[in-house]
Amino acid sequence: MRRVAAAALVAATLAAGALTAVPARAAQGRAPATGECTATACHFDVPPGTYDVTVLLGGEEAARTSLTGETRRSLLPETATAPGERVARSFTVDVRTPEGEPAGPAGSPGLDLTIGGPAPALAAVRVTPARHARQILLVGDSTVCDQPGAPYSGWGQQLPQYLRKGLSVANHADSGESTVSYLADERMWGTVRRLVRPGDLVLVQLAHNDKTTDGPTYRANLETLVAGVRERGGRPVLVTPVVRRWFGADGTLDNDTALLVNGLGVDHPAVVRAVAAAQDVPLIDLTAKTKALVESLGVENSKSLYLHDEKRDNTHTSAHGATVYAGLVRDELVAQHLVPRGAVRPG
């Protein structure tokens, strides 16, 4: 890798594999981070925190470029540029340790970006500390988290690509967590609660692993999470769980397995809706939305949303399914005026 000054725009012509540095003036009080780039990746030596990233896409040939970062987070959707065209895009990224799941490995220090797409062309990149960025913190399980390995992907892992500069996703979802385990583990709720700042959104989707949690306990746990966010000045948002792709003989998902009713008869989505109504908390009914979508696609066409073909898994989503479900979350955030329309990218 060639080291380039943080105060520089790093120019990269990917087709030729060439890298050059073009000096640029740093904004006062926001010195850019020191970075290194190759034709396929960039690394910036930054401590944990929130950073604004501005990239210039395009080259001499037609290109299609996307960016991922850290633990396989989608940060910028595939963007097309015509021959000779340059397009600037900006986003805000959360850098933390561990960089993925709270119970997972620490990951590599600093910020890592991966340059992707069928014909990538990154002309320049600049990373600076973010000022006044608003956070969306995520509390959830394996259907939400930053999954470390393909083909798995959580919808929280795909959500950043839909957000513009000034709004970051801090995904603290973790595989295998229930409301009980998440509250009990200092790496989970103890960490999230300390990070909540006034005005931050905290989206909570926990249900898939509450298989043995009774109704009163499940409800009390959700209420504890809501109260904890509010005590810190944040805004809680309850999210009903994504459905399991489990069709009945009638071609619908009208069964306990698909709709997250546990062995004790606890209807998790119904409890989430009830708590949201009683506590005056915004609700994203992802159960209803994913049910409608999966049923509309039918038995065969809905397979691509999940890992049915790869793993015979009808609970965890593929990158495609996670991206679609993240789009549903984005739409609800805008529709309920939880984030401004101008803060999100269209699908």
Side-chain angles (χ1 to χ4, degrees), residues 58-130:
E60 295 308 310
E61 306 294 331
R64 300 186 70 87
T65 311
S66 61
L67 286 174
T68 58
E70 299 297 87
T71 304
R72 303 177 60 241
R73 298 181 217 160
S74 294
L75 300 174
L76 192 69
E78 188 176 297
T79 303
T81 48
E85 182 184 19
R86 297 291 189 274
V87 173
R89 293 287 186 269
S90 297
F91 54 87
T92 301
V93 62
D94 171 62
V95 176
R96 62 181 183 271
T97 303
E99 69 179 33
E101 297 178 88
S108 58
L111 170 62
D112 291 293
L113 303 175
T114 301
I115 306 159
L122 176 65
V125 58
R126 179 186 177 90
V127 175
T128 55

Side-chain angles (χ1 to χ4, degrees), residues 60-337:
E60 295 308 310
E61 306 294 331
R64 300 186 70 87
T65 311
S66 61
L67 286 174
T68 58
E70 299 297 87
T71 304
R72 303 177 60 241
R73 298 181 217 160
S74 294
L75 300 174
L76 192 69
E78 188 176 297
T79 303
T81 48
E85 182 184 19
R86 297 291 189 274
V87 173
R89 293 287 186 269
S90 297
F91 54 87
T92 301
V93 62
D94 171 62
V95 176
R96 62 181 183 271
T97 303
E99 69 179 33
E101 297 178 88
S108 58
L111 170 62
D112 291 293
L113 303 175
T114 301
I115 306 159
L122 176 65
V125 58
R126 179 186 177 90
V127 175
T128 55
R131 283 185 172 179
H132 312 303
R134 188 184 183 194
Q135 294 184 109
I136 299 178
L137 294 110
L138 303 182
V139 170
D141 53 35
S142 58
T143 65
V144 184
C145 74
D146 289 348
Q147 289 280 0
Y152 294 90
S153 182
W155 62 256
Q157 198 165 21
Q158 300 296 332
L159 185 60
Q161 67 183 299
Y162 288 123
L163 306 180
R164 300 184 190 275
K165 177 182 172 183
L167 191 59
S168 71
V169 173
N171 190 352
H172 292 266
D174 194 78
S175 294
E177 303 300 333
S178 66
T179 58
V180 176
S181 63
Y182 202 94
L183 282 168
D185 194 326
E186 184 66 20
R187 296 171 300 177
M188 313 296 169
W189 178 234
T191 297
V192 171
R193 191 174 183 280
R194 289 193 299 271
L195 293 173
V196 177
R197 303 173 306 201
D200 287 341
L201 294 176
V202 182
L203 275 57
V204 178
Q205 186 215 280
L206 287 168
H208 277 271
N209 299 300
D210 280 281
K211 298 179 178 68
T212 60
T213 309
D214 62 67
T217 300
Y218 184 65
R219 182 181 184 114
N221 289 344
L222 293 175
E223 291 171 344
T224 297
L225 291 164
V226 167
V229 173
R230 284 175 165 167
E231 287 169 4
R232 297 284 295 176
R235 188 170 190 188
V237 179
L238 292 178
V239 183
T240 59
V242 300
V243 294
R244 295 189 179 99
R245 184 191 161 277
W246 194 269
F247 283 92
D250 62 354
T252 73
L253 302 183
D254 294 326
N255 59 80
D256 289 354
T257 299
L259 300 182
L260 283 297
V261 178
N262 74 10
L264 301 178
V266 179
D267 185 331
H268 293 103
V271 176
V272 176
R273 295 177 189 121
V275 172
Q279 299 286 322
D280 192 24
V281 174
L283 173 74
I284 296 178
D285 198 342
L286 207 50
T287 304
K289 291 188 172 297
T290 55
K291 177 179 186 293
L293 176 60
V294 170
E295 288 182 341
S296 71
L297 291 173
V299 174
E300 289 302 316
N301 290 337
S302 63
K303 288 179 179 178
S304 65
L305 297 173
Y306 293 82
L307 297 176
H308 175 86
D309 291 338
E310 300 90 340
K311 300 287 186 178
R312 291 296 184 265
D313 184 336
N314 294 300
T315 296
H316 296 98
T317 47
S318 62
H320 166 64
T323 301
V324 172
Y325 288 176
L328 297 177
V329 174
R330 171 210 54 194
D331 292 347
E332 280 299 296
L333 291 173
V334 172
Q336 297 189 41
H337 307 290

